[in-house]
Amino acid sequence: EVQLLESGGGLEQPGESLRLSCRASAFTFKTYAMSWFRQAPGRGLEWVASIDNSGYTSYHADSVKGRFTISRDNSKNTLLLQMDSLRAEDTAIYYCARIWTAVPHTDSWGQGTLVTVSS
Amino acid sequence: QPVLTQSSSASASLGSSVKLTCTLSSGHSNFIIAWHQQQPGKAPQFLMRVDASGSYNKRSGVPDRFSGSSSGTDRYLTISNLQSEDEADYYCETWDTETRVFGGGTKLTVL
């Protein structure tokens, strides 16, 4: 069974940085594109960023462009999200997810890690 | 970029059926969508994908009570013989080359 385990969440002040990690197991990580999503308290799901299987191509939502960076280390089966210049509106549960290959829908989700941005 | 529209809430009685709708924006009628279920306090879980022809592919383990269909820009999730554990938020998702998009979600209440 696909396992995605996020870590790195916590409480941070506005303007500070945080790095999230997602450790993948039970599948061949390097063959799948991956994404980060988030869900603010009481709100719906929001796409944050995606990266292809090689790590060479990535895309970011306008709301985080220039502040967040998605990357991956295929040698360590790990997906990363570097979050800089944090804002209060970045407060959310952040989910790591796998993108299916043939038809690129999200097919597996992690359990999420909570990021709180507050002074 | 596609936009997805969902009703904010739906309700149906235990043992009955309900049909949830996800509507694609104009010009995106050929897009495939995915349905995700989020039970209270839990992470989302992929249920199925539905294409423009109405063909659907479910995740292994999703009960036969769940099915998908399509009509024009509408994609549907039908749940038959509703159970208490089906009370959840249901989100549809689609994508293009550079973005992924969710509908606002439908909160399903089982009466």
Side-chain angles (χ1 to χ4, degrees), chain A residues 1-2 4 37 39 45 95-98 105-112, chain B residues 34-49 57-63 66 77 79 85-93 102:
Chain A
E1 182 182 343
V2 171
L4 298 168
F37 300 97
Q39 187 171 35
L45 297 170
Y95 296 102
C96 149
R98 189 179 79 168
H105 60 80
T106 302
D107 81 323
S108 298
W109 297 77
Q111 290 306 298
Chain B
W35 284 103
H36 302 276
Q37 177 194 59
Q38 186 175 32
Q39 294 174 317
K42 294 189 175 182
Q45 198 168 28
F46 167 68
L47 286 176
M48 68 179 72
R49 68 173 186 260
N57 295 84
K58 294 192 297 187
R59 172 180 54 82
S60 175
V62 174
F66 290 78
L77 171 67
I79 311 172
E85 60 264 31
D86 300 332
E87 186 160 290
D89 294 325
Y90 292 85
Y91 294 92
C92 55
E93 173 203 18
F102 288 95

Side-chain angles (χ1 to χ4, degrees), chain A residues 82-94:
Chain A
Q82 178 66 39
M83 308 166 65
D84 298 324
S85 302
L86 284 164
R87 304 169 180 169
E89 55 264 36
D90 296 321
T91 294
I93 297 174
Y94 285 73

